[in-house]
C-alpha cells in the first residue's frame, strides 16, 4: 500500500526537477552575457589589467589564461567598438580570409590557441607521464599546427602563411561607458558633464570651412617632429589602397611552394628527431643540424623565388610580406637556445653569467630570474618554439 504514495512522490520530484532544468541550463548564458556587458562597460580598465597580467610571463598558468581571455575580449570589443581608424594591412589581410572562409578561420583560431597553451600542456604531460608522454604531446601538437598552416596556405590560394585571426584590439573611443558615461532612467547611456566639456573644447579648436561647412582638425603646435608625424599618419601608402587579398602575393611556381611547405614541416621533422633521442644524448648535433638546415633551405628557396619571379625583387614586396619575413628572420636567433647548440654552447655561457652575479646585491636577483628561465629553456621544448 506504500507503493502508491511513493510513486506519486517520485513523480512530483521528477516534474519539479524537470521544470528547473531549463533555468539551470540557461545560467551559463546569463553569466556570459553579464561578463560581456562588464567588458564593454569597462573596456579601458580591462585592457590595462590584461596588459599588466601579460607581463607576468614568470607565472605560466596566469600568462596562458590571460592570453586566451585577451583573445576572447578582443573579439567582444571589436563587435561593440568598431575602430574609427583603418586597420593595419596585416589585420585587413587576415580579417578578409577569416570572414571569407570558415575553414581558414577555424584553422587560425586553433593554431593561435595551441600556441598560447602548448607550454602549459607540455609541463602537465611531463609531470603526469614523464618524458615519453611529453614528447608524444610535442609531436602531436606540431603535426596539428602544421596541418593548420597547410590549410591556411591552400585556402589563400598558395600564399605565404601570415598568422593571426584579424583580432586587432580596437582603440576604445573616449565616449565609451568606461570613459565617464552614465546610465539614464531609460537605460540609455549618456555622457557625463566632464566628457561633454571636453568634446566642446575639441570642437571649438576645429576650423570650419566657409563654403562647405566641414571642419578641419588643428595641427599640433608643439614641435616640428609632432607636425611631421601628424602629416605622415595621414599619408596613404600603396598597401592602403590594395585589395586585401593582394597584400600577399600568390606563389605561382613549384620552387616557392616547396619553400613554404618546407618551412611549415620543419617543426614536425625537428620534434620527431628530438623525440627519437628521448634524452639519451642531448648533445647530439644531428636533430639541430637537420632542423636548422631545413629552415635555411626554405629561406634560400624563398629568396630565389622572389628574385626570379617578383617584379622589382625585394623592393616589390608588400609591407605584410616584409613583416612576416622579418618575424621569421628573428626566429632564427632562437636556434641558439635549442638542442645541441644550447647544451654545448649557450648553457655554459648562461651558467657562467649567473655565477658572476651570485652573491652581489640586486644583481643576485637578476641572476636568480635568469636561472629560473634557464630551467624552462633546458627542460621544455615549447619554451623556445617560434612557430
Amino acid at each position: 500500500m506504500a507503493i502508491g504514495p511513493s510513486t506519486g512522490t517520485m513523480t512530483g520530484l521528477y516534474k519539479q526537477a524537470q521544470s528547473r532544468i531549463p533555468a539551470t541550463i540557461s545560467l551559463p548564458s546569463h553569466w556570459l552575457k553579464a561578463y560581456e556587458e562588464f567588458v564593454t562597460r569597462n573596456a579601458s580598465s580591462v585592457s590595462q589589467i590584461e596588459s599588466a597580467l601579460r607581463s607576468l610571463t614568470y607565472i605560466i598558468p596566469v600568462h596562458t589564461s590571460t592570453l586566451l581571455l585577451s583573445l576572447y575580449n578582443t573579439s567582444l570589443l571589436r563587435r561593440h567598438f568598431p575602430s574609427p581608424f583603418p586597420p593595419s594591412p596585416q589585420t585587413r589581410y587576415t580579417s578578409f580570409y577569416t570572414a571569407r572562409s570558415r575553414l581558414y578561420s577555424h584553422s587560425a583560431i586553433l593554431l593561435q590557441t595551441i600556441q598560447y597553451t602548448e607550454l602549459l600542456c607540455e609541463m602537465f604531460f611531463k609531470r603526469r607521464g614523464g618524458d615519453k608522454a611529453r614528447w608524444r604531446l610535442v609531436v602531436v601538437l606540431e603535426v596539428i599546427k602544421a596541418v593548420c598552416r597547410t590549410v591556411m596556405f591552400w585556402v589563400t590560394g598558395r600564399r605565404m602563411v601570415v598568422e593571426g585571426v584579424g583580432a586587432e584590439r580596437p582603440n576604445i573611443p573616449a565616449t565609451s561607458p568606461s570613459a565617464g558615461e552614465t546610465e539614464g532612467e531609460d537605460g540609455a547611456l549618456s555622457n557625463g558633464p566632464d566628457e561633454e566639456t571636453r568634446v566642446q573644447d575639441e570642437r571649438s579648436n576645429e576650423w570650419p570651412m566657409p563654403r562647405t561647412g566641414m571642419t578641419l582638425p588643428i595641427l599640433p603646435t608643439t614641435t616640428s617632429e609632432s607636425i611631421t608625424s601628424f602629416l605622415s599618419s595621414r599619408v596613404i601608402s600603396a598597401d592602403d589602397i590594395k585589395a586585401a587579398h593582394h597584400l600577399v602575393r600568390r606563389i605561382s611556381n613549384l620552387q616557392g611552394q616547396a619553400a613554404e611547405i618546407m618551412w611549415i614541416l620543419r617543426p614536425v621533422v625537428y620534434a620527431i628527431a628530438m623525440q627519437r633521442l628521448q634524452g639519451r644524448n642531448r648533445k647530439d648535433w644531428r636533430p639541430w643540424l637537420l632542423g636548422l638546415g631545413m629552415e635555411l633551405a626554405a629561406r634560400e628557396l624563398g629568396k630565389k623565388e622572389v628574385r626570379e619571379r617578383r617584379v622589382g625583387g625585394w623592393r616589390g614586396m608588400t609591407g605584410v610580406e616584409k613583416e612576416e619575413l622579418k618575424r621569421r628572420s628573428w626566429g632564427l636567433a632562437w636556434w641558439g637556445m635549442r638542442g645541441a647548440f644550447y647544451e654545448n654552447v649557450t648553457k655554459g655561457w648562461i651558467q657562467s653569467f649567473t655565477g658572476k652575479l651570485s652573491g652581489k646585491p640586486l644583481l643576485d636577483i637578476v641572476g636568480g630570474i635568469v636561472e629560473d628561465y634557464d630551467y624552462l629553456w633546458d627542460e621544455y621544448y615549447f619554451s623556445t618554439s617560434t612557430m
Side-chain angles (χ1 to χ4, degrees):
M1 295 182 62
I3 296 178
S6 177
T7 304
T9 303
M10 292 298 295
T11 303
L13 291 174
Y14 174 76
K15 291 181 178 180
Q16 185 178 5
Q18 191 177 24
S19 64
R20 293 181 178 179
I21 288 177
T24 305
I25 294 177
S26 64
L27 282 178
S29 62
H30 288 308
W31 295 341
L32 186 61
K33 186 177 181 181
Y35 176 75
E36 292 181 359
E37 185 177 356
F38 171 79
V39 171
T40 54
R41 285 179 175 272
N42 303 275
S44 300
S45 300
V46 169
S47 298
Q48 293 174 2
I49 294 173
E50 289 175 357
S51 179
L53 292 177
R54 275 197 298 269
S55 64
L56 299 177
T57 57
Y58 198 72
I59 308 175
I60 302 299
V62 174
H63 182 66
T64 302
S65 303
T66 303
L67 291 175
L68 292 175
L69 191 62
S70 177
L71 184 64
Y72 177 71
N73 291 342
T74 299
S75 65
L76 291 180
L77 296 177
R78 283 176 61 84
R79 291 201 303 266
H80 289 83
F81 299 106
S83 179
F85 304 102
S88 65
Q90 180 176 349
T91 302
R92 285 179 54 215
Y93 175 78
T94 53
S95 298
F96 173 79
Y97 282 105
T98 299
R100 182 180 181 181
S101 171
R102 295 184 62 183
L103 184 59
Y104 180 95
S105 175
H106 293 164
S107 299
I109 293 175
L110 177 60
L111 176 61
Q112 198 160 14
T113 303
I114 292 176
Q115 290 174 333
Y116 286 167
T117 59
E118 57 192 7
L119 180 57
L120 186 61
C121 292
E122 184 183 359
M123 290 179 173
F124 176 80
F125 271 73
K126 183 177 181 179
R127 184 178 180 86
R128 293 294 182 180
D131 278 340
K132 190 173 182 179
R134 174 174 74 98
W135 280 111
R136 285 180 180 175
L137 172 73
V138 168
V139 172
V140 169
L141 292 183
E142 290 292 9
V143 169
I144 295 175
K145 291 194 295 183
V147 171
C148 291
R149 291 190 176 98
T150 304
V151 169
M152 295 165 67
F153 177 65
W154 288 104
V155 168
T156 57
R158 299 180 297 279
R159 288 177 168 85
M160 178 191 299
V161 177
V162 178
E163 296 182 8
V165 292
E168 185 179 61
R169 180 66 63 91
N171 294 318
I172 307 302
T175 56
S176 66
S178 60
E181 289 183 346
T182 56
E183 189 170 353
E185 297 178 356
D186 57 350
L189 295 176
S190 60
N191 294 329
D194 295 339
E195 179 64 21
E196 292 178 357
T197 303
R198 189 189 65 80
V199 172
Q200 291 177 0
D201 292 340
E202 288 184 354
R203 290 178 178 176
S204 63
N205 292 329
E206 295 177 346
W207 183 75
M209 291 185 285
R211 186 172 62 86
T212 62
M214 300 178 65
T215 58
L216 292 177
I218 60 171
L219 291 175
T221 57
T222 53
T223 62
S224 59
E225 293 182 358
S226 60
I227 296 177
T228 303
S229 61
F230 175 83
L231 296 176
S232 299
S233 64
R234 281 155 175 77
V235 174
I236 298 178
S237 64
D239 290 346
D240 294 331
I241 60 177
K242 284 184 178 179
H245 61 283
H246 287 159
L247 291 172
V248 176
R249 179 184 57 90
R250 186 191 302 268
I251 303 175
S252 57
N253 64 341
L254 293 178
Q255 181 179 342
Q257 295 174 17
E260 193 69 10
I261 293 296
M262 188 181 300
W263 177 80
I264 291 173
L265 294 180
R266 192 276 302 163
V268 179
V269 175
Y270 178 67
I272 293 175
M274 291 294 293
Q275 183 192 29
R276 294 180 65 87
L277 290 179
Q278 285 287 329
R280 291 191 297 269
N281 183 13
R282 301 178 66 176
K283 295 185 177 182
D284 192 336
W285 285 92
R286 288 175 296 177
W288 189 85
L289 292 174
L290 177 62
L292 179 61
M294 286 188 65
E295 188 154 348
L296 291 176
R299 183 177 176 83
E300 290 301 318
L301 284 175
K303 286 182 177 179
K304 186 177 179 181
E305 191 270 340
V306 170
R307 288 193 301 265
E308 295 178 355
R309 307 286 295 189
R310 171 65 66 91
V311 177
W314 291 100
R315 294 181 179 180
M317 300 185 70
T318 65
V320 177
E321 294 171 324
K322 291 178 180 178
E323 285 297 321
E324 177 63 23
L325 290 178
K326 183 179 179 180
R327 186 186 67 83
R328 297 184 185 185
S329 298
W330 279 108
L332 286 172
W334 278 100
W335 282 103
M337 304 297 296
R338 297 189 188 123
F341 192 93
Y342 173 82
E343 293 292 334
N344 293 289
V345 181
T346 313
K347 189 175 183 179
W349 292 349
I350 294 176
Q351 291 176 350
S352 175
F353 173 74
T354 55
K356 293 179 180 178
L357 298 181
S358 178
K360 297 180 180 180
L362 297 180
L363 295 179
D364 191 17
I365 300 177
V366 178
I369 295 176
V370 173
E371 286 181 346
D372 290 339
Y373 276 104
D374 182 53
Y375 174 78
L376 291 177
W377 301 328
D378 188 24
E379 295 293 331
Y380 296 102
Y381 168 89
F382 284 120
S383 62
T384 58
S385 177
T386 56
M387 293 180 61

